[in-house]
Amino acid sequence: MVKIYNLYIFNNAGTLLHYAEWNRTKQSGITREHEAKLMYGMLFSIKSTNKYALHFYETPTGTKFVLNTDSTAGKMTEFLKNLNSQIFVEYAVKNPMVDLSQPIKNDLFSAKLDAFIKGSSLYVS
Amino acid sequence: MADPVFFELLHAQIVKYVEERQTKDTDLSSLDTIGFTCGYKIIERLTRDWPKFKDELEIVKFICTDFWMAVYGKQIDNLRTNNQGLYVLQDNMFRCLNKIAIGKEHLQVAPLYYTFTCGLVRGSLANLGVHCVVNAEVQNMPSVKFHIQLPADCP
């Protein structure tokens, strides 16, 4: 079981498509947009600490998934792959109401994502 | 059969194209016409190995089962009729809507995504000799009720 903290999805231009959080206790004290920009900028330099682990998965088209969990998590590549194919492709890419150059505002997508995270065998609050 | 994703994406683009070109936001007749033409041709192909249907109920049942299976990969969930020429076909997981929303979100765009199918059904029935009016209603996405209304004087 892993504590899943939060998830960022960026498109290939660096726009934050979606942000969701589950067990995050510490807030950064800056706006979400600013935080996302920092996160995107730090992607290639940040390293895991003993407090948390940052998992990164990028598709060939440049969509980036950033998932923060506690440090007990092992490799989450398979998990993020499934998240991409079962949730992002199904309910964002195939959803005609979603414009992938803009942040996603769609309840169905958010609900499916939340259910995917909470329904995974890893999830613990 | 081609992967359903091709149909889903093409359909979404046709809707977007029609939506951008329309002058009045209630005019979806071109989507209906495209659907009609497709339905007219699809039914020709789907029924090629079938014996002639004996009545109109049998035709509607064919639409609910084999036709829906071929186009949408599932059957209609519920069929009702008042035995006076009105049939109501209910699909609780309609494929043109089930990626868009659940419940009332984006309800106002639903007609854009079911009009093609109304035409599809109308065209299929027309080629089987049943001339009718097809409408649809959505109360909760992604569930749709298609209303098939035959004229009163129709045999």
Side-chain angles (χ1 to χ4, degrees):
Chain A
M1 297 291 248
V2 176
K3 261 196 193 253
I4 292 172
Y5 299 136
N6 54 6
L7 172 77
Y8 301 79
I9 304 175
F10 296 100
N11 71 2
N12 56 8
T15 304
L16 179 68
L17 291 180
H18 194 74
Y19 173 80
E21 64 182 36
W22 291 273
N23 293 304
R24 184 178 180 177
T25 46
K26 283 187 179 169
Q27 294 297 332
S28 58
I30 54 176
T31 65
R32 190 72 72 219
E33 290 75 21
H34 192 191
E35 182 187 293
K37 276 180 193 150
L38 280 178
M39 176 59 82
Y40 192 79
M42 285 194 308
L43 271 183
F44 302 100
S45 56
I46 201 162
K47 289 199 167 102
S48 299
T49 73
N50 55 3
K51 289 270 189 212
Y52 70 95
L54 183 146
H55 307 268
F56 176 66
Y57 173 66
E58 183 175 10
T59 70
T61 56
T63 309
K64 295 162 189 68
F65 296 84
V66 180
L67 183 73
N68 289 314
T69 67
D70 66 36
S71 51
T72 63
K75 254 183 126 41
M76 299 283 276
T77 315
E78 204 56 35
F79 180 81
L80 289 173
K81 243 184 197 170
N82 291 339
L83 193 152
N84 177 43
S85 64
Q86 291 168 29
I87 306 298
F88 188 74
V89 171
E90 288 299 313
Y91 297 98
V93 178
K94 287 193 194 171
N95 185 339
M97 302 305 287
V98 168
D99 172 0
L100 288 176
S101 64
Q102 301 287 328
I104 300 170
K105 293 192 189 80
N106 187 270
D107 293 348
L108 178 60
F109 173 74
S110 311
K112 290 284 177 187
L113 174 63
D114 196 57
F116 179 87
I117 297 284
K118 289 185 174 159
S120 71
S121 55
L122 301 164
Y123 185 82
V124 54
S125 59
Chain B
M1 199 72 164
D3 189 317
V5 73
F6 296 118
F7 167 74
E8 280 175 38
L9 297 177
L10 182 59
H11 176 259
Q13 283 310 308
I14 292 170
V15 167
K16 201 152 268 180
Y17 181 72
V18 168
E19 189 187 12
E20 280 163 9
R21 285 188 62 210
Q22 68 187 0
T23 44
K24 285 184 303 201
D25 56 278
T26 49
D27 180 23
L28 298 175
S29 56
S30 49
L31 274 176
D32 188 81
T33 308
I34 296 169
F36 183 91
T37 320
C38 291
Y40 202 90
K41 292 179 180 180
I42 289 169
I43 207 74
E44 194 80 63
R45 200 184 128 88
L46 282 181
T47 56
R48 62 185 171 185
D49 298 325
W50 279 69
K52 205 165 165 18
F53 297 104
K54 70 174 194 288
D55 57 20
E56 149 206 315
L57 179 63
E58 208 172 71
I59 291 175
V60 175
K61 277 186 185 163
F62 176 82
I63 297 290
C64 294
T65 53
D66 294 66
F67 178 84
W68 221 258
M69 197 60 168
V71 182
Y72 295 113
K74 70 185 285 290
Q75 296 190 353
I76 282 285
D77 296 301
N78 192 300
L79 166 65
R80 285 166 197 238
T81 176
N82 65 355
N83 294 314
Q84 287 169 5
L86 175 69
Y87 295 89
V88 179
L89 282 59
Q90 185 173 338
D91 186 341
N92 294 327
M93 219 354 137
F94 184 49
R95 195 153 87 203
C96 299
L97 291 176
N98 72 1
K99 299 289 162 58
I100 296 180
I102 200 156
K104 309 276 184 211
E105 196 197 7
H106 297 307
L107 201 58
Q108 75 285 358
V109 303
L112 281 165
Y113 291 92
Y114 64 56
T115 302
F116 171 84
T117 306
C118 289
L120 200 67
V121 173
R122 198 165 61 83
S124 309
L125 292 171
N127 202 359
L128 293 171
V130 180
H131 296 278
C132 57
V133 176
V134 181
N135 283 311
E137 61 165 323
V138 177
Q139 277 156 4
N140 268 305
M141 308 263 255
S143 174
V144 189
K145 281 182 190 163
F146 292 97
H147 298 253
I148 301 174
Q149 179 69 61
L150 278 73
D153 57 335
C154 201

